[in-house]
Every structure is written in C-alpha cells, then in structure tokens.
Amino acid sequence: MAKVSIAVHGSLDGEKDRIWGEDEVQLVYRQKYQKGDKLIFTADQVPDFYIIRADGAMDEAYVYLTQERLEYPIPFEEGNPFNMDRISYHPGCFMGELHYITMRRARAEENRNYRNLTKNVMDWKGAKGCYPHVYANAETAGPVASLFAARNVIDGVLANGGHYPWPYQSWGIDRREDAELTVEFGRSVDMDELRLTTRADFPHDSWWVQAAVSFSDGTQKVLSMDKSIKPHRFRLERKGITWLKLGELKKAEDPSPFPALTQIEVFGRNSE
C-alpha cells in the first residue's frame, strides 16, 4: 500500500483542503481558485507510477514520480479577461467553485501496457520529479506565450488546423534555427514508433522538411517530412532509452516564418 494525499495550498493562507488515503484518493474542492493556489500531491512510495487528474476537465495523467511531493501550480492570472495562463487549456479547466481532483497508484497491468510514452497532460515548465517532462531551448514569447510552450506537445491534443486559441496550442520556436526540444521519460522505456504532428494552419504556417532525433543511447536518426496535416510516422525501435531530443530542424522554402510542432508521440512500453 502507498500512502497518498491531495491538498490545495494558497500563497498567503496556507493549506485550504486535504485528503489522505491508501493507494487512491479523490478530493472535491468547493472553492474558487485564487492567484497563487497550487495542488500538492504526495506519495510515500517513490519512484513509482501514479495516475493523477488535476482537474475534472482534464484527462488523467499516467506519470512516473521520483519525489514524494509534487507541486502543481494552478494556471491563473487575476484581472486578465483572456486568462493568458489558461489559454492553452480547455476553457473549463480550473474554473468555477467545484473541482474534482484524483490520485491513485497505477496497477501492475497498467504499467505493462503499450501506450504513448510521452503523454503527460499535467506537465509544466517547472515540473520536478514528474515524468514524462518536456523542455526546449526556445519558445515563442509574447502575451499568449503559453499557447506556444513546450509542454503543449505532450498534452495529447492533436488538433493542428489553427494556431489560436485552445485546442490549437503548439510549440513555437521563436524563429530560432537552433531550436531543440527534449523529452525526458524519467526511467527506461522501449519504443517502436515516433509520430510528429506539425501545425498545419496554412498559409499562416510553414513546415519542416527535415529534422533529427537523438536518443539517450547515443544514436541519432534523420527524419524527412513534408507539408501535411496528418501525423508524420516513423518506425524507430530503441530499447532502454531515458530521453530523446528533436533538433536540426530544416524549414521548407516557404514565405511563412512559422513552423511549429503540435504533438510528439512515442509509442512503446516501460522497459522490464
């Protein structure tokens, strides 16, 4: 049995609510979130796999926790009518006065499942001890920066026919020729397929004709792509990798300066 808990903390008033349990808990929080609020998830058995739902309007996240305490900041910007911190989330996320939050230890059979190993709907830029996690050396800045953050490429949303607002969030490279994106799994995984869904809001968008993916085992594969709204699928078998990096992005000869990545998916299983 694992002892797990969910709590809501405020920046000024400390703990607002908490629930404890063994292996599985659900918290119904009956207040409107305030600026600075965060969710605190704890588990006394780590590293291990857990399934967490940070909000009733979000998918569950299958995650690998390597720390006993996980802090998840509530996206919020008080007084901003556009909710810029929330703009890359479903419009119902974290809104209102009734919130459903869950956490449970993953079952053994779930840990053996074939799945998209990169998906983590609750990833965020400052995440620590919660995997998979993604980060990049470049992100498009500006008032709607969260729409172009690296975390968007592992949130499981595949809509790529637009660039604003949700569900068209993506990774924007800020026109950097040296842009790179890294996905850390936090443990060893075995993969057999890579899928890249590039943003396809033509003619606003351009596209990449070539990229390279590097793996933690020291290998690299050069990928060819074209102008497409469909996912680019690559049969790539690697065992025991802990991270991969996408880089060496070569843009098409097209007037638009805006190639972008909507989703990166790696299919396989946890290594035995």
Side-chain angles (χ1 to χ4, degrees):
M1 290 283 189
K3 293 181 180 180
V4 295
S5 74
I6 303 170
V8 180
H9 276 234
S11 59
L12 299 177
D13 43 8
E15 186 171 292
K16 298 181 176 184
D17 204 350
R18 177 183 289 272
I19 189 168
W20 292 88
E22 292 186 341
D23 280 351
E24 183 171 0
V25 288
Q26 302 88 33
L27 176 62
V28 177
Y29 181 61
R30 300 177 182 272
Q31 295 184 50
K32 186 177 181 180
Y33 287 127
Q34 303 296 318
K35 187 174 183 179
D37 283 356
K38 58 187 176 182
L39 304 177
I40 308 293
F41 300 93
T42 67
D44 71 345
Q45 292 193 26
V46 293
D48 208 344
F49 296 96
Y50 292 85
I51 295 177
I52 299 174
R53 187 189 300 275
D55 186 86
M58 293 175 68
D59 287 347
E60 290 181 324
Y62 173 82
V63 294
Y64 187 65
L65 300 184
T66 60
Q67 298 180 5
E68 291 187 358
R69 178 185 173 97
L70 171 64
E71 296 190 5
Y72 184 84
I74 302 297
F76 187 88
E77 192 161 340
E78 186 176 15
N80 187 330
F82 298 103
N83 286 321
M84 294 307 184
D85 287 348
R86 289 196 186 116
I87 201 168
S88 62
Y89 295 84
H90 184 284
C93 284
F94 312 110
M95 299 295 287
E97 299 180 354
L98 190 62
H99 308 282
Y100 178 60
I101 311 153
T102 67
M103 179 182 188
R104 67 177 175 87
R105 191 181 184 192
R107 296 185 292 271
E109 60 270 25
E110 292 175 302
N111 297 331
R112 295 191 293 267
N113 285 349
Y114 183 87
R115 65 175 69 245
N116 173 13
L117 295 163
T118 61
K119 184 179 177 181
N120 180 4
V121 299
M122 60 179 294
D123 189 37
W124 71 99
K125 192 170 186 177
K128 295 180 179 180
C130 181
Y131 300 94
H133 174 58
V134 64
Y135 59 89
N137 67 344
E139 293 179 341
T140 300
V144 290
S146 64
L147 269 178
F148 309 110
R151 68 159 298 275
N152 297 328
V153 303
I154 62 171
D155 67 0
V157 180
L158 293 166
N160 65 340
H163 66 282
Y164 178 97
W166 185 94
Y168 297 118
Q169 61 274 13
S170 59
W171 172 48
I173 64 171
D174 202 28
R175 307 190 189 189
R176 290 266 298 271
E177 293 184 359
D178 64 341
E180 294 180 336
L181 179 132
T182 302
V183 180
E184 293 184 337
F185 300 103
R187 77 283 187 187
S188 296
V189 300
D190 302 336
M191 64 170 287
D192 59 20
E193 185 178 2
L194 170 69
R195 296 183 194 175
L196 300 176
T197 300
T198 49
R199 206 175 64 199
D201 186 13
F202 309 124
H204 173 276
D205 289 340
S206 184
W207 63 96
W208 294 299
V209 295
Q210 187 173 293
V213 57
S214 304
F215 300 93
S216 61
D217 63 2
T219 63
Q220 184 184 73
K221 178 69 174 179
V222 176
L223 312 173
S224 295
M225 294 183 284
D226 54 17
K227 182 179 182 181
S228 176
I229 196 169
K230 296 180 179 180
H232 305 274
R233 302 176 65 167
F234 306 95
R235 189 73 180 176
L236 289 172
E237 295 189 9
R238 296 292 189 279
K239 291 186 179 295
I241 62 168
T242 58
W243 57 263
L244 61 79
K245 179 182 293 185
L246 184 70
E248 299 180 28
L249 301 166
K250 184 177 180 181
K251 193 181 87 69
E253 294 183 2
D254 178 79
S256 169
F258 303 121
L261 183 66
T262 294
Q263 205 74 187
I264 181 170
E265 299 171 282
V266 171
F267 289 88
R269 290 183 170 86
N270 297 318
S271 299
E272 294 183 358

